[in-house]
Amino acid sequence: MKQLLREIDEAVVRIRFAEGLRRGWEAARAEASVQLAHFEAQQGGARTDLSELRLATLGRSADDPALLTALDYWKAHRLVQKGWAPLNTKTPMRVVEAPLPRMLSQIHKTLTARLHADGRIASSDVAILKDPSALAAIRAVLDSPLPAPLRAGMLIWLAKQRPAFASHSSEVARVLARHHLVQTGFEPTGTLLTSRTIDAAALASLGNPDPSTWLHAYAQAMASALDPTLRMIQSVQAGILPSE
């Protein structure tokens, strides 16, 4: 694990100083949110075409259920992204963090509002914490002395072990984990495509009461995401976006 953490540290430094982020950091962040939504929806069984999802985020109408699911994921990522500090600016931006319960509820509402409107989720299950003890556990992870990558991984594992909401707790946790890495300054670009390199075996380990297997898999995914992330940044810089 120590070796993986060193690799992750080196990866985030390389990403932070990637040439394509000097001026194109906003576009790269935006593309990262699209790709993360695509990969995370796919891991949940909603397979989408990346190009179609990208067009849907730009306003093209969508009626395919899988595409709508991915679009909900994208909206959640975009929600937290709006509050991130800009990169490469001479004028510091003071970031005011929303209280944790409000942030969790806002993310959950973004993920489930469409399903509620379709009558598939009750209003009592939208943006309302079902397990108050889960909130205390989330706070404990955020405040723990663990390295930032392990805190992020623990947030996702905890959502499976002790869901805070009636549904979509894991989806909320993925967004919160990315947000936490950015807000703490560990990965301030918000472009690391961790979800791209998480496989089915890693996801299955989330059900283990011992988080060690999952944390190792998550750290491995973070380290392995370096090259795909750099390629994505280069593609954005060149104005040629991938379709898969």
Side-chain angles (χ1 to χ4, degrees):
M1 181 63 81
K2 289 182 179 180
Q3 176 60 31
L4 278 176
L5 292 174
R6 283 194 292 269
E7 290 178 16
I8 294 168
D9 288 342
E10 293 169 2
V12 296
V13 170
R14 287 187 61 189
I15 291 169
R16 178 64 185 90
F17 292 101
E19 177 66 25
L21 294 182
R22 289 183 60 190
R23 297 181 179 178
W25 60 268
E26 288 181 284
R29 273 185 180 174
E31 176 63 14
S33 290
V34 174
Q35 293 199 22
L36 287 169
H38 170 69
F39 298 131
E40 290 165 10
Q42 184 170 285
Q43 289 164 3
R47 302 188 66 85
T48 62
D49 180 274
L50 181 57
S51 296
E52 290 184 5
L53 174 59
R54 193 180 290 116
L55 290 173
T57 67
L58 297 175
R60 176 175 288 189
S61 61
D63 54 13
D64 176 73
L67 188 57
L68 290 171
T69 296
L71 198 56
D72 289 339
Y73 285 28
W74 171 77
K75 290 176 182 177
H77 279 290
R78 286 285 290 172
L79 171 72
V80 297
Q81 181 184 325
K82 290 177 182 178
W84 295 348
L87 296 177
N88 306 327
T89 177
K90 295 181 180 180
T91 304
M93 172 181 166
R94 182 170 177 266
V95 177
V96 179
E97 188 76 279
L100 182 60
R102 183 190 305 170
M103 179 183 299
L104 293 173
S105 294
Q106 288 175 340
I107 296 171
H108 191 263
K109 183 176 182 180
T110 302
L111 286 163
T112 59
R114 177 183 60 84
L115 299 175
H116 169 55
D118 291 344
R120 297 163 60 186
I121 292 182
S123 59
S124 59
D125 290 335
V126 176
I128 298 175
L129 289 166
K130 293 299 183 182
D131 182 359
S133 67
L135 178 61
I138 293 170
R139 288 189 191 278
V141 170
L142 293 173
D143 295 337
S144 77
L146 289 170
L150 299 188
R151 290 198 303 270
M154 281 294 295
L155 289 171
I156 299 170
W157 174 82
L158 185 64
K160 186 71 171 180
Q161 298 291 320
R162 190 182 301 176
F165 297 94
S167 70
H168 292 76
S169 294
S170 293
E171 290 83 352
V172 171
R174 290 192 195 105
V175 176
L176 180 63
R178 181 189 181 206
H179 178 69
H180 180 62
L181 291 172
V182 172
Q183 292 295 75
T184 58
F186 180 80
E187 200 288 276
T189 74
T191 60
L192 186 63
L193 300 175
T194 304
S195 296
R196 176 170 184 155
T197 54
I198 294 177
D199 59 22
L203 292 173
S205 70
L206 282 168
N208 295 344
D210 180 351
S212 57
T213 301
W214 160 252
L215 289 178
H216 187 275
Y218 186 76
Q220 181 64 64
M222 287 189 71
S224 300
L226 170 63
D227 288 341
T229 300
L230 291 176
R231 287 197 298 270
M232 180 273 290
I233 292 170
Q234 291 167 354
S235 295
V236 171
Q237 184 181 26
I240 305 172
L241 298 178
S243 59
E244 284 297 337

